Amino acid sequence: MNPAVAELCERLDVHVELLDRLVEATQQQKKALLGYRPGTAERDERLSAANARLTELVTAVDRHGPRTRDAADVVARSYGQADYATLSALAATLPEPEREALRERLSCVRSLTEALAELSQINHLHARRGLQLVSAWRSIVTRGETTPTTYNAKGRPRSDTPTGSLTLNI
Amino acid sequence: MTTLQHILSITNSGLQTSQAVVASASRNIANANTPGYAHETLPLSSQLGGLGVVAGTAIASRNALLEQGIAATSARLGFYQSQTNQLDSMELAFNDLDGTGLGISMRDFESAVSAVAANPASITDRGQMLESARSLAATFASTRESVARAANDANEQAVSIAQEINSLAQQVAQLNSRIRSARPGEERNSLISQRAAVIDSIGGRIGVDVVPRSDGTVSLISSSGRPIVDSTFPATLAVNVSPPPASEARVEFVGEGDTRLPAGSVGGELGGLVEFHNDIAQPALERIDELAYSFMDAFNEAHRSGFTLNGATGYDFFDLPSGAQGAASKVALSRDVDGHPENIAAAADLAAIPGDNTNALVLQGILSQDGVMADGSSVVNAWETLGSSVSHTLLRTQAGVDLEQASLDQLENLLASETGVNIDEELIRVTQANTALSAANTVLQELQTMTDTILGMVG
């Protein structure tokens, strides 16, 4: 097999591995988000752990992306392709067995990414619902007051009331 | 199911569940200061097929053991508190620290008799002795009246509390009836919270054991074993006082056979008041009457054996009533001496008049003379013992109030921490939840951007 294609296949295998972990982490996040309600510390911890894992994996994919792109550029140059729109288009120009090997990996990446996109949309719905719930909950707890009253050490209301601690990011 | 239907189903179940959760939270916050309210939680579970979430029946966090402990402690607190209130007012009658009172009057009378003994021929001193005797009579009467008023107050309060208990028992029975037919969840929990608050009120007034029944109702059993409320049937209590001389307050069930609640089996405020009436105020009244009667009888006996300034003998000093009952309010000078100071029998020797003071010295010692009272003690000692007994009982009940109040505070704190609603904690939870969900939202937006990029790259 062409060494440049072999290198690209290796890069895509790493992608598949990362995406597979991302799907797993997103499912964990979904479990934590499903039926979310404030006041369940254990659930908050599980959600925070899932968030951290997802952030770590997204960063890894972002870091890995340029290398895959570089490997694809090398393949394109070695086969005299000055420009290519997508990796699928690039694969279509390759001879067998390089084309089949590349297509197999691209198919894996595509299906995993589509699954990930669907999962993330569902999770997004759950997260938005949770935040709406938190908003309603907060208005109940604060009785509609949007600015929390805080006090200094002498018991007087603070003039430099910190803001943002209760800002909802819906 | 298509992805769109999948998402819509999840969204729909999520919205419905959100409304249920917010409604539950709203009830918790709104009832943060409602007596008897228990923090409510809403169990959530996955919908069949993983299509979202479904809310179960709201569960109130109740702790039967702590609630029983609070009811028992409230009953003891009510018992001691009601006795302390009554003893506080009654103790004033026994307290000579303000310069008035029966003890002071007794000493003043002794001094007046002593003055006559020092100068038996003095009409002025004899007049002072009569005046002092009138003052002593008035003090006996006012002391008795204070104690009788305390006993009467206790009885009136007991009658009033029995009526309150009857009203509360009816409320519990009605709530029992509604709880039995209520659907599990919010409505039933709310009714149970209302009932818990009413039971707390009854417990403090009479002291009851709460016996839960399988249909969700409860029976409230008095210490005697007779139910105050039997599921949906309330009993009616009444407080009656037997006629004198017993004058005993009795708690009875109205309209039933042998209905009297045994003495000592009534707890709470009602038990405290009944015990105060029967075991403290009434015996104190009888003792004061006995003091007055015994003193007058002994004084008269000594007086009759002496001689007046005119040489007459056999005169009573006091107008002795026919019996001890009510004697303290009937202390009065006899017609022989009232307005006739010369008829005070200060002399023991007819030949030595007017200088003989032998009988006056005997009269002077009557108040402190052992054996005047039926139990062998002196009048002064009997009075001091009675006063110290009242003070001691007051101290004991005050200590009971302090102890039971501290226990009640601790138990209520424990219950509140377990089943109550803490606004600060709710606010912290909201903030924590907001942080976790905002982070999820952010990372999901990044994830969607990433998947778009990858799909664009793969093609």
Side-chain angles (χ1 to χ4, degrees), chain A residues 62-110:
Chain A
D62 282 347
R63 205 168 41 238
H64 190 69
R67 293 180 197 167
T68 308
R69 177 72 68 179
D70 290 346
D73 288 346
V74 173
V75 171
R77 279 198 298 276
S78 70
Y79 286 96
Q81 300 290 328
D83 197 11
Y84 61 97
T86 63
L87 292 178
S88 295
L90 177 62
T93 64
L94 300 184
E96 291 290 357
E98 284 82 355
R99 180 170 59 192
E100 190 53 37
L102 198 54
R103 274 185 173 167
E104 190 183 315
R105 283 162 178 82
L106 289 175
S107 174
C108 269
V109 169
R110 190 183 298 110

Side-chain angles (χ1 to χ4, degrees), chain B residues 209-223:
Chain B
D209 285 324
V210 182
V211 180
R213 297 162 65 107
S214 57
D215 59 358
T217 65
V218 294
S219 291
L220 305 183
I221 311 296
S222 68
S223 311

Side-chain angles (χ1 to χ4, degrees), chain B residues 26 32 100 113 133 180 238 346 361 406 458:
Chain B
S26 179
T100 62
V113 179
R180 192 164 59 183
L361 290 172
V458 172

